[in-house]
Amino acid sequence: MKRFLQQAGIRTQREQLELGNPIWFVNYSILKRYFYAFLAFAVATFLRWILMPLNGGFEFITYYPTVLIVAILFGAGPGLMTVIFSIVAANYFFMPPQYLLKWTPAQITPMAIFGFSGLLISILTHRTYRYAMESQKDQKRLQVIYDASPDAILIIDAKGKIIRANHQVTTLFGYSNEEVIGEVCEILMPQRFREGHPNLRDQYRAAPVVREMGHGMITRALCKDGHELDVEVSLSPIQTDEGWFVACAIRDITARKRAEAKIEELAFYDQLTGLPNRTLFMDRLNQTMHAAARNDQHGAVLFIDLDNFKTLNDTLGHDVGDELLKQIAGKLRAFVSEDGTVARLGGDEFVVVLAHLSGNQHEAAIETEAIAKNIVDTISDNYQLGDCTHRSSASIGITLFKGKDVPLESLLKQADLTMYRAKSSGRNTVRFFDPAMETAVNQRVALEADIRQALQSQQFLLHYQVQIVGDQELIGAEVLLRWQHPQRGLVQPGDFIPMAEETGLILPLGLWVLETACQQLALWARHPTTAHLTLAVNVSALQIKQHQFVDQVLEVLERTGANPQRLKLELTESLLVDDIEDIIQKMVALKAKGVGFSLDDFGTGYSSLTYLKRLPLDQLKIDRSFVQDVLIDPNDAAIAKTIVALADKLGFTVIAEGVETKEQKEFLIDNACYTFQGFLFGRPLPLKEFEVFIKRFQTPVDQTKHDDSKDNNFRENAEE
């Protein structure tokens, strides 16, 4: 564009219309123009040769009028002046010889000068014509470029006057070319920008730089009808012989700005409530923490969670839940000043940041607590959600901060932990963060990481605690999980099983226990002294609730070659609380393959006798808590007797765990319980020590026979 402008010169469209084109600038091809010149020259020469004898040598009497007439006839179209000078010049170079020889030098000299002058003028006229034609082509080419551009293009002179505009100016601003050409460029600017623009224009002229589209200036432009547009302006300075100019391209970016605003909304705002999302919240929290450090003030983070929101979603649907969230968001906005923030992190979790609290921690806590309680009272209200009315409440966890001593994520985690403490305290309340809570959580996180590492490093092992009938008859053992920690030593299951169940790590851990126990049963089956032994394996609630639990157990039995009749799965009463029908189906499927079941810790849970009679159990296990005080607490003694009697009526065997004294054992035998497990008979031992322990029991016992007859023998002995 700049090259075209410099080559063609810069004239306004109006000036070109007023100036017009001289006759020698008519757009004919050079070939056509010289054809007419040659034709005119031939006719004039022919007439000259005929008329010269009649003129007596004074050819100008007839020749020059002839030349003029011929030139007008043949040259008016292609270019009058070019044809005339071409003929005159050629006349003196193509003089008939009979006349040229008669002339003296005095006659030839002026004729030659005139002839050379005519030739020179012809050449110059031709160059001028060619330059003018090229200029016209450049002007047209430039106009095509102007009009083809999707941007509005203006050419502005040093005084800000618009001297050229393309058709996009009309499309974009509503002005025609005639309306803007000759006007100052400020006509396209909002009033608030016009006063200072001449100074900016002078500064740009003093230090011009090219501003390409895509890197141009973003501003506002004024249309003819008065509305404003978001535009991007690119500038390109042009220096020509006619002066200094600026090529200005203007692009409408309204759609782009709208798209950017939408992208920002999607990136930084929650689509349901219109509140800032987690990303924007973290940025604002960071700014608030910096401001608190500069001003020596406290700030606070309030983590808000709606009570029983999941129940509302599950019963009335997500649309109703969404409506509640929108109403809650509207209420929370009222508690936040310009410097504060309220955001939705997801689900029913909201967070509020309070700024400019007192520099004194105690006073800041009082301020924050007052606001938090006000929020709780405000949220605790009835909400009209479509056709139903719902009463909601919220639990709030609070943590204070001053500066950036605590990282952002840790600060949010503190408030989150405190919110759960508020929920565990009865809900609809407020709690402040206690550092001891974070310590406990960090320990839990570390424990979870250690368990994962222990699974990978095979740090877990099994101990075996013997199960005895009477005094000397060993029938099997219960496998008990232990953790050989590289730093902490031997870790008892009570220290890590709850965490494994909470995190789901009990699934791979329980599968490992089952596989290891079945492998050991397969090995014992090869030796007569151990082939009769059974192993009891504890099964967690998460394990048996798996859809593939039955297939998983059967696959382990098949892969290891273990006898299903030597495997006994121990279930706790807590398993019977949820989805009892599914559990019964799985037990029946495994029972059909020979796997036995024992109900562990019986009497400590909430099992229903209705369900108990439907369960395909083989054994009830009296919990150690009853056995421990069976001699001194009549209630425990009564419960133990009742369990034995219930097992007898339902056709189950019964085993007492935690037997530590002979007196406890005798009491149980007196009440028809003949199978025991406890320290009186042996502590849990590693595999090698347990195998040494069982060598003194040399008589193999058929466990299936024991189930029917052994307890009867002990009953008879007890009666005697």
Side-chain angles (χ1 to χ4, degrees), residues 523-581:
L523 291 175
W524 283 348
R526 301 174 184 175
H527 304 283
T529 57
T530 56
H532 69 285
L533 297 180
T534 64
L535 282 180
V537 178
N538 290 278
V539 176
S540 73
L542 286 179
Q543 284 180 279
I544 200 169
K545 288 179 180 178
Q546 292 182 99
H547 177 72
Q548 69 275 22
F549 176 72
V550 174
D551 294 336
Q552 195 176 67
V553 173
L554 296 179
E555 191 273 333
V556 170
L557 287 169
E558 182 179 0
R559 177 157 39 85
T560 59
N563 184 353
Q565 295 182 347
R566 301 304 179 202
L567 176 65
K568 182 167 55 179
L569 300 181
E570 290 196 0
L571 313 178
T572 60
E573 284 189 89
S574 60
L575 291 177
L576 308 180
V577 176
D578 298 323
D579 203 0
I580 183 65
E581 296 296 337

Side-chain angles (χ1 to χ4, degrees), residues 512-530:
W512 176 83
V513 172
L514 179 64
E515 288 182 343
T516 305
C518 289
Q519 289 172 358
Q520 192 58 51
L521 284 174
L523 291 175
W524 283 348
R526 301 174 184 175
H527 304 283
T529 57
T530 56

Side-chain angles (χ1 to χ4, degrees), residues 28 43 78 105 199 388 402 422 433 482 510 624 631:
Y28 282 85
V43 173
N199 292 333
C388 64
K402 189 175 185 180
F433 173 71
R482 297 292 186 268
R624 68 177 64 250
L631 299 177

